[in-house]
């Protein structure tokens, strides 16, 4: 079928297959999976010595402008149909649960401010966040618990998931629309109300570091 | 700044306030109401008059009370706080007074409104993106990774020799140990291990040296295990063997020490 | 996302999109569909005037030799992993187990008495040898079929393999410790069992003759 296939017998134990062959392998694995596959998982499934990261560069280029695209999602890679062809897919369209305005806002706040505590979300929205809203986002696997804050009470934080990035076609949380502008405008600062003291000044840097480490 | 006529603002504010009153349930808390009211000022949120906003909010609350609309406690707390803020902003600052100034509080409120507005816009931008399952799609026919479990069997030369010896002695040879009681002495264990050690090759569990007939009955097995262990230590002491154990309670393994003449 | 996309506005009502565009459409539909899609269904989903059959020819060609293939399944078309890459869809875990007593004994008999028939193995063990045990040893490539015995029925014989010798660190089956050594090692009683000679070295053939002529 494929002329480019090397005979398995010709490969020595430590020679990786030729790059063209590695590209085919990455292609096959990504096509077979609906979920993003990490470079690490790719390497684990490919023969010893393979370099999936390089193969991905080639593969991504190969699919430029085609009906399907090789996209990066967080730490993983996936193949997705080109967005301009969505109109052909009425049959495949999944009706997502309609999110309430509160849920959408809460999701955006978590995405832009992560890792963020419930109290911080409430401070930003000026209203308490219902358990149901958080549960719904957790159920959809768009958010998950992050690590606890190093503030009194060690509250849990929320961060967005790879599923969230996948759903909105984002490579990482850094690619959220308008993120840079919001940061430059100081609107992502954790600014406590005056009179409450600057309890979380030092946290602020951590917050941002977290965001980029996790992203 | 305010290019509209004062009367127009009043009309706009009134209309907004009326809309609020009919549909107070549609608001996501007092901050949301403030944000809505701030739009009537038709200015950048950074230049908003917090004083005017406080007045608008307080009149909104008054109207709601007149119409006997029940408001959630949040709205009343905000009203009280805005009344306090208003007095702070209007009265000259008291040098004795502790805490943040009216300007600081007003600036923070303006910041909160701007931030909420920014988050709303960000949420709208996010939801306007192409979405998986709506605009772009994942693979329809997926192939799961099947897990194949392969069992690899191993045996040592000693296993083979013991197996064969077992067969050759089955019918007419009763192992000498059978005639004794449940005790297997260390001398016996040593005598047994010395010649066998050479055949085992690499690391071997010392329990594989237990003699035939001493492996099932618990009392016999205990005795043989103890003597085999003691014999192993003896062999190590003599310099003929090495012992190792990977972990607490892990099998104890023995092998012949190379380069020494047994 | 894709620069090659034609503006919908540029298409007149009856002009089909360019063939390259049709190919992209077929690619996206086949990728996203949960089932193979017929040419008829493709035509139904694509813009008026499109020729999915021709687009399929191009698409098929494009995927020739790739990691996935455009294949016909019944009446429909689907994208499938290239046959030679099926191994990537499997994850192998190896578990090491000790050989059963029956298998060890059978193996020992074959090693000491090769070439040996099944009836002879059963004679020595005193119990029947299960098909499974022999199959297991054949699977492990520790034994193989030897030449047939010149006795009535011409039964097949078993002998040990190179793989067996490798595993046990033996140069040849003759290096197996003989009865004398087994005895010296304390594995056998000092008095020779009646009727059984030493099963080693040149005696071996004689042994077998002795053993089995009587049996």
């Amino acid at each position: 079928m494929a002329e480019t296939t090397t005979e398995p017998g010709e490969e020595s134990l430590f020679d990786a297959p030729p790059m063209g062959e590695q590209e085919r392998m990455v292609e096959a694995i990504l096509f077979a999976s609906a979920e993003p596959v990490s470079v690490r998982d790719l390497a684990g499934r490919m023969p010893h010595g393979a370099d999936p990261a390089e193969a991905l560069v080639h593969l991504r280029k190969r699919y430029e402008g085609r009906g399907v695209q090789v996209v990066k999602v967080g730490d993983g890679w996936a193949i997705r149909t080109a967005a301009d062809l969505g109109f052909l897919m009425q049959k495949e369209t999944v009706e997502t649960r309609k999110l309430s305005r509160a849920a959408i806002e809460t999701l955006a706040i978590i995405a832009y401010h992560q890792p963020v505590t419930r109290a911080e979300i409430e401070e930003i929205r000026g209203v308490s966040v219902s358990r149901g809203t958080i549960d719904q986002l957790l159920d959809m696997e768009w958010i998950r618990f992050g690590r606890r804050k190093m503030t009194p009470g060690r509250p849990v934080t929320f961060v967005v998931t790879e599923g969230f990035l996948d759903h909105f076609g984002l490579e990482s949380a850094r690619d959220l629309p308008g993120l840079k502008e919001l940061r430059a405008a100081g609107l992502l600062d954790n600014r406590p109300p005056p009179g409450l003291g600057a309890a979380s000044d030092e946290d602020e840097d951590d917050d941002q570091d977290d965001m980029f480490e996790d992203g | 700044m305010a290019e509209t006529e004062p009367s127009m603002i009043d009309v706009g504010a009134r209309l907004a306030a009326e809309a609020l009153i009919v549909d107070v349930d549609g608001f996501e808390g007092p901050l949301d109401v403030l944000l809505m009211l701030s739009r009537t000022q038709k200015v950048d949120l950074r230049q908003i008059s917090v004083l005017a906003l406080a007045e608008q909010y307080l009149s909104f609350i008054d109207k709601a009370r007149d119409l006997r609309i029940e408001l959630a406690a949040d709205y009343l707390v905000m009203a009280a706080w805005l009344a306090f803020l208003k007095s702070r902003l209007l009265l000259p600052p008291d040098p004795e007074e502790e805490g943040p100034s009216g300007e600081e509080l007003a600036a923070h409120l303006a910041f909160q409104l701007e931030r909420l507005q920014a988050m709303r816009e960000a949420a709208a931008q996010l939801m306007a993106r192409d979405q998986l399952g709506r605009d772009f799609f994942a693979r329809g026919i997926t192939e799961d990774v099947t897990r194949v479990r392969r069992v690899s069997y191993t045996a040592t030369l000693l296993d083979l020799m013991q197996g064969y010896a077992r067969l050759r002695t089955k019918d007419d040879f009763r192992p000498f140990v059978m005639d004794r009681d449940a005790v297997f002495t260390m001398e016996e264990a040593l005598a047994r291990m010395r010649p066998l050690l050479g055949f085992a090759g690499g690391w071997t569990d010392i329990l594989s040296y237990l003699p035939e007939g001493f492996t099932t009955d618990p009392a016999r097995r205990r005795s043989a295990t103890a003597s085999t262990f003691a014999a192993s230590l003896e062999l190590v002491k003599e310099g003929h063997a090495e012992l190792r154990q990977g972990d607490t309670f892990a099998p104890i393994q023995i092998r012949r020490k190379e380069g020494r003449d047994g």
Side-chain angles (χ1 to χ4, degrees), chain A residues 54-199:
Chain A
E54 198 195 328
L56 273 163
V57 172
H58 297 296
L59 194 68
R60 202 177 197 189
K61 198 156 204 151
R62 185 182 290 273
Y63 279 93
E64 256 169 34
R66 298 270 299 274
V68 295
Q69 310 276 295
V70 178
V71 298
K72 187 166 195 279
V73 182
D75 286 339
W77 292 82
I79 298 182
R80 300 286 178 248
T81 62
D84 66 298
L85 298 177
F87 71 95
L88 293 168
M89 313 291 171
Q90 296 95 333
K91 216 175 164 179
E92 279 71 36
T93 303
V94 200
E95 270 309 317
T96 36
R97 246 194 301 177
K98 192 106 177 109
L99 283 182
S100 67
R101 182 170 149 188
I104 292 173
E105 271 178 36
T106 303
L107 178 65
I109 291 168
I110 294 171
Y112 284 83
H113 289 265
Q114 65 173 334
V116 64
T117 66
R118 187 160 173 159
E120 288 164 346
I121 298 169
E122 295 182 342
E123 154 81 14
I124 294 172
R125 294 196 64 227
V127 70
S128 65
V129 175
S130 81
R131 182 78 233 165
T133 302
I134 296 279
D135 284 350
Q136 186 185 13
L137 295 173
L138 285 168
D139 268 4
M140 296 173 83
E141 295 185 347
W142 280 0
I143 65 168
R144 61 175 175 82
F145 292 108
R147 54 165 184 258
R148 290 175 180 276
K149 271 246 153 116
M150 297 305 277
T151 49
R154 306 212 50 193
V156 293
T157 61
F158 298 100
V159 295
V160 291
T161 63
E162 195 170 85
F164 165 87
L165 298 177
D166 196 13
H167 186 89
F168 291 100
L170 295 162
E171 284 201 11
S172 79
R174 259 173 284 197
D175 299 313
L176 283 164
L179 184 76
K180 265 196 209 99
E181 293 77 3
L182 288 171
R183 173 159 293 130
L187 291 169
L188 301 182
D189 295 352
N190 185 0
R191 204 187 291 181
L196 286 183

Side-chain angles (χ1 to χ4, degrees), chain B residues 203 206 229 232-233 236 241-245 252-254:
Chain B
W203 291 105
I206 62 167
F229 178 62
S232 302
L233 294 180
V236 171
E242 297 173 289
L243 279 176
R244 72 170 186 191
Q245 186 180 26
I252 299 171
Q253 295 175 310
I254 189 167

Side-chain angles (χ1 to χ4, degrees), chain B residues 25-236:
Chain B
D25 284 344
F27 286 94
E28 298 267 339
L31 216 50
D32 190 29
V33 172
L34 280 169
L35 197 56
M36 168 63 184
L37 291 171
S38 70
R39 292 202 189 106
T40 62
Q41 292 192 17
K42 306 220 163 146
V43 292
D44 190 290
L45 274 176
R46 285 172 186 253
Q47 293 160 325
I48 199 157
S49 160
V50 170
L51 190 60
L53 191 60
E55 275 164 358
Q56 279 175 284
Y57 185 88
L58 291 171
S59 81
F60 156 69
I61 294 293
D62 282 344
K63 279 176 195 153
R65 275 186 181 142
D66 289 347
L67 290 168
R68 303 184 180 211
I69 287 174
E70 273 191 56
L71 287 171
D74 293 2
Y75 291 84
L76 303 177
V77 170
M78 178 60 89
W81 187 81
L82 286 174
F84 163 76
L85 175 62
K86 198 175 127 188
S87 67
R88 272 280 174 104
L89 290 171
L90 292 174
L91 299 172
D94 179 354
E96 303 284 295
E97 181 85 37
E98 296 227 336
S101 70
E103 279 73 23
E104 280 171 334
L105 292 173
H108 187 71
L109 180 63
F111 168 74
Q112 279 183 290
L113 291 174
E114 197 190 347
R115 183 172 61 181
L116 181 60
Q117 178 62 30
M119 280 300 109
R120 294 247 161 108
E121 282 162 11
Q125 275 184 286
L126 190 64
M127 298 314 282
R129 285 184 71 84
D130 291 331
Q131 293 182 34
L132 180 67
R134 190 188 76 182
D135 306 290
F136 61 94
F137 295 83
R139 182 80 158 117
I141 307 173
T142 56
E143 285 171 66
D144 288 331
V145 177
T146 47
R147 288 186 186 273
V148 181
R149 207 177 56 165
R150 199 163 60 82
V151 179
S152 154
Y153 289 94
T154 62
T156 65
L157 188 55
L158 188 61
D159 294 330
L160 203 65
M161 289 165 60
Q162 285 175 334
Y164 190 63
R166 199 158 55 221
L167 291 166
R168 298 307 298 256
T169 58
K170 195 160 51 191
D171 299 328
D172 44 23
F173 170 63
R174 295 197 307 150
F176 58 94
V177 290
M178 297 289 280
D179 296 327
R180 313 197 175 183
D181 52 77
V183 177
F184 189 66
T185 66
M186 190 189 100
E187 286 69 32
E188 286 167 334
L190 260 180
R192 179 177 170 78
M193 290 183 78
R194 266 186 221 284
L196 281 181
L197 203 54
F199 291 115
W203 291 105
T204 317
D205 190 338
I206 62 167
L207 293 183
S208 60
Y209 289 93
L210 296 192
E212 197 61 25
F214 272 85
T215 51
T216 42
D217 176 60
R220 287 175 157 260
R221 188 177 167 83
R222 268 199 301 279
S223 168
T225 304
S227 55
T228 300
F229 178 62
S232 302
L233 294 180
E234 186 61 30
L235 287 169
V236 171

